[in-house]
Amino acid sequence: MKHIKAVIRPEKLNEVRDALDKAGCAKGMMITDIVGHGGQKGIEQVWRGEKYTVDLLPKVMLDLVVRDADVPTVKEVLLRVAPIGEFGDGKIFIYNVEEVIRIRTGETGEAAL
Ligand SMILES: Nc1ncnc2c1ncn2[C@@H]1O[C@H](COP(=O)(O)OP(=O)(O)OP(=O)(O)O)[C@@H](O)[C@H]1O
Ligand SMILES: [Mg+2]
């Protein structure tokens, strides 16, 4: 099992959720509003002639724990739906998951996803 942590644009959340749903590759998910920055360290803006930098931008963090077999599909969906083709389109981090336990039943592993 893998933990896929995807940081995406907030305005893409609904589209990404619909696409993951349609692809049937994510049974559950965690969604968190975050602020952060990548390589550009935010963006420079001009307001009434004054330059200022917004150094932390709002993003949505999507946490999915999925079967190994579903990882390629999740990646394909994210890479297809999440970008607008500009800086700040987001990033995907993938981790190994040691165990999952459904509290109600005690089921473990993929059966618990
Ligand atoms: N190395 C990193 N570690 C942790 N979080 C990161 C990292 N890079 C990006 N993020 C998170 O992802 C969000 C979006 O990053 P972003 O898409 O701007 O990455 P980037 O590497 O700058 O790519 P791009 O050049 O396309 O903008 C950031 O706001 C931050 O929350
Ligand atoms: Mg960036």
Side-chain angles (χ1 to χ4, degrees):
M1 294 172 291
K2 296 276 191 280
H3 178 175
I4 301 180
K5 187 182 279 288
V7 183
I8 63 170
R9 297 180 183 278
E11 63 268 29
K12 283 290 189 173
L13 176 61
N14 287 339
E15 211 183 321
V16 166
R17 283 186 63 197
D18 286 349
L20 288 171
D21 209 30
K22 200 177 272 180
C25 55
K27 296 207 172 154
M29 64 181 65
M30 299 176 254
I31 296 169
T32 315
D33 286 315
I34 62 155
V35 291
H37 72 74
Q40 292 73 35
K41 304 225 166 73
I43 46 170
E44 195 174 74
Q45 297 191 335
V46 181
W47 173 247
R48 296 187 171 171
E50 295 289 321
K51 269 191 199 166
Y52 67 98
T53 305
V54 181
D55 58 352
L56 294 173
L57 298 174
K59 300 284 172 185
V60 163
M61 194 168 69
L62 212 59
D63 286 277
L64 312 165
V65 178
V66 303
R67 300 183 309 146
D68 289 351
D70 285 325
V71 172
T73 311
V74 174
K75 282 200 273 189
E76 183 277 320
V77 166
L78 290 168
L79 292 173
R80 174 166 49 83
V81 179
I84 62 166
E86 304 283 346
F87 290 126
D89 273 345
K91 206 161 274 188
I92 303 169
F93 304 91
I94 302 179
Y95 314 84
N96 288 316
V97 172
E98 198 165 300
E99 186 59 291
V100 175
I101 305 169
R102 175 173 285 116
I103 291 177
R104 175 175 58 87
T105 58
E107 289 164 289
T108 60
E110 291 188 356
L113 287 177

